[in-house]
Amino acid sequence: MTIGSFLKKKKINEYIEKYNMLNRGDGVVLGLSGGPDSVCLFFVLLALKSEYDLTIEAVHINHMIRGTDADEDQEYVRQLCQEFDVPLKALKIDIPSLASASGRSIEEEARIARYEAFENAATMLRDKGFNTKIAVAHNADDNAETVLFHMARGTGLDGMCGIAPVRDGIIRPLLAVPKKDILEFLESNEIAYCIDATNNQVDYDRNRIRHNIMPELNLINDKALEHIFDMTERLSQVADYISFEAKGLLQMAKQEDGSLRKRAISTAPRVIASQAIKEYLSSFMPYQKDVSAVHIDSILDLLNEDGERQVQLPYKKTLIISYEKLYVIDKEEAEAKKVNPRFEYREFAYEKAMNYPKETYTKWFDCDRIMANVVIRTRAEGDYLVIDSEGNRKSIQDYFVDEKIPRHMRDTVPLVCDGNHVMWVVGHRVSEYYKISTNTTRVLEISYTEEEQNE
């Protein structure tokens, strides 16, 4: 089977055009491990080089996991690229050490390192003026294994869509091609490739699926792989529509401060609201997969409950479901942005013709009614304020609830206090008891400002 017949028979050209993977004059960074899939993609790109006027560069990562075997793979890739005049960037990265330091699995650490290296190479090509894609060699078997892996671990619609043909500048031209066809092409053309012995071990979850589950599915139906691929294509169309509707919901729900209007989310169809919440939360995370179905289901279940609720998220972030809106807080960011409150005082004789200050953070108080030393602090047990001219009291706890002040902010609101009597909830209201009256002779003016904290 020649490369031309392989491209035609497996409809690789059609697949590339369907998803607009390549345009004339593109730069392509190829992830070249030396395994059969990436070697096959190497020859596919070479065959398309003239048609698309491609500039191809290869990147190989030696993960330093398999000792001399990995070194031999690197040497094979070097010779292959040299033979076909393809520039190669080969890197040795100590994945076991990185995984030990980060706490991530070897598999995940290796994946992160690979894509960082690919992106660095792509950036260098872009700096030379090329519209650059990153080409990786996932095939139809990889796609099926990913779907089954997601199903076993628990997944939403996105996980059932499998591997995306194109995403974030990454293209997968072989995604519709079964592994057996790739091997047939290489063997019929006597093209050598490297074999990673760890792929035959069943210590990894994906290898269990590859060696134990997929063969059983093929016994049930020899077109199981094709059917899984077709399912992911159809589900991807559904997911695209839901994502489109979710983006529209987010536009409608988002407020100037970045929060979401609670009612807009809670009244939307659950499937649209679910995707909207996922996309909203993902903007606060390094990776979209950090937002799990458990987080989203918890949030959706809390939307119609009264009062304020909180959902803990990864990376020390918390989603606040308050009375009217949803928003994310970050404890570390909040600590970094702390300010020092500054109060200024002025006492003077009151005259009836005086104008009251209109500023939110400057207030007047009747000095004659202050019984103790004025203290600035946050809330304490027994705090109250007078809410009307009749002298009726309300506890600070009830006031915070009635005014819908978020729970996480209640211990940070400055209070100007006369004992347990709160004269001023700064930024909100003053106690009726201390307001200026016809009997006032002297006024205490208090002004509040904030200064940035210097670390």
Side-chain angles (χ1 to χ4, degrees), residues 25 41 90 96 117 163 174 192 235 247 249 252 362 398 423 428 452:
L41 183 55
I163 302 171
L174 301 183
L235 288 178
K247 284 181 170 65
L249 175 59
M252 182 179 67
T362 298
D398 289 345
M423 299 166 57
H428 299 276
E452 288 188 7

Side-chain angles (χ1 to χ4, degrees), residues 189-207:
N189 288 278
E190 298 183 347
I191 298 172
Y193 55 84
C194 303
I195 297 175
D196 184 346
T198 62
N199 287 334
N200 295 320
Q201 299 172 3
V202 291
D203 295 339
Y204 298 113
D205 292 334
R206 290 180 185 272
N207 288 358

Side-chain angles (χ1 to χ4, degrees), residues 52-67:
Y52 285 96
D53 187 25
L54 301 178
T55 297
I56 303 170
E57 294 187 2
V59 174
H60 175 83
I61 309 298
N62 182 336
H63 297 122
M64 300 176 68
I65 297 172
R66 297 182 296 116

Side-chain angles (χ1 to χ4, degrees), residues 136-405:
V136 291
H138 290 112
N139 58 50
D141 293 59
D142 296 322
N143 187 55
E145 291 161 12
T146 297
V147 170
L148 295 173
F149 179 68
H150 288 165
M151 288 174 61
R153 293 187 64 185
T155 186
L157 180 59
D158 287 349
M160 292 297 293
C161 293
I163 302 171
V166 177
R167 178 176 290 163
D168 300 328
I170 299 170
I171 62 172
R172 297 178 170 90
L174 301 183
L175 193 59
V177 182
K179 179 84 166 191
K180 64 181 179 60
D181 294 341
I182 291 173
L183 294 174
E184 180 186 343
F185 162 72
L186 295 174
E187 288 163 7
S188 66
N189 288 278
E190 298 183 347
I191 298 172
Y193 55 84
C194 303
I195 297 175
D196 184 346
T198 62
N199 287 334
N200 295 320
Q201 299 172 3
V202 291
D203 295 339
Y204 298 113
D205 292 334
R206 290 180 185 272
N207 288 358
R208 290 192 182 96
I209 294 170
R210 181 175 305 152
H211 297 295
N212 299 334
I213 297 175
M214 287 305 301
E216 293 295 324
L217 289 178
N218 288 324
L219 289 175
I220 295 171
N221 189 322
D222 60 4
K223 291 190 175 181
L225 189 66
E226 181 182 335
H227 291 163
I228 292 173
F229 183 81
D230 289 343
M231 177 197 72
T232 62
E233 292 241 295
R234 290 193 294 273
L235 288 178
S236 292
Q237 294 173 10
V238 175
D240 287 344
Y241 172 74
I242 291 173
S243 181
F244 175 79
E245 292 291 332
K247 284 181 170 65
L249 175 59
L250 283 177
Q251 275 190 326
M252 182 179 67
K254 192 165 275 191
Q255 304 187 102
E256 288 186 7
D257 62 359
S259 65
L260 302 181
R261 288 191 298 111
K262 180 180 175 181
R263 180 169 174 75
I265 303 297
S266 64
T267 56
R270 188 177 177 99
V271 66
I272 306 298
S274 175
Q275 183 64 27
I277 290 172
K278 182 173 185 177
E279 295 200 13
Y280 177 68
L281 296 184
S282 295
S283 66
F284 298 93
M285 305 290 164
Y287 307 102
Q288 189 177 66
K289 69 177 184 176
D290 291 324
V291 182
S292 71
V294 173
H295 296 127
I296 294 169
D297 288 342
S298 297
I299 293 163
L300 290 172
D301 292 342
L302 293 171
L303 284 179
N304 293 314
E305 293 194 11
D306 295 331
E308 183 185 306
R309 297 290 186 271
Q310 298 185 5
V311 177
Q312 300 304 313
L313 303 171
Y315 304 101
K316 297 183 180 179
K317 298 181 192 296
T318 303
L319 178 79
I320 305 296
I321 305 173
S322 72
Y323 304 88
E324 297 175 350
K325 60 185 181 179
L326 291 74
Y327 56 95
V328 172
I329 60 171
D330 186 310
K331 291 181 181 178
E332 290 184 349
E333 286 183 7
E335 288 292 325
K337 292 180 180 177
K338 271 189 174 180
V339 296
N340 290 319
R342 180 181 176 186
F343 289 86
E344 293 183 350
Y345 306 87
R346 182 168 70 97
E347 188 177 333
F348 54 89
Y350 176 67
E351 298 178 8
K352 292 182 180 180
M354 287 181 169
N355 293 323
Y356 288 76
K358 296 180 180 179
E359 294 87 349
T360 303
Y361 292 102
T362 298
K363 299 297 179 185
W364 283 5
F365 304 91
D366 188 334
C367 274
D368 297 332
R369 292 200 158 219
I370 298 172
M371 303 300 294
N373 292 327
V374 175
V375 175
I376 311 295
R377 57 173 174 78
T378 54
R379 64 175 176 167
E381 186 73 26
D383 284 349
Y384 68 92
L385 73 163
V386 174
I387 58 173
D388 56 36
S389 58
E390 304 298 319
N392 292 308
R393 299 180 176 186
K394 179 179 285 189
S395 72
I396 283 297
Q397 170 63 20
D398 289 345
Y399 173 76
F400 282 162
V401 172
D402 292 345
E403 292 299 311
K404 300 178 180 179
I405 295 174

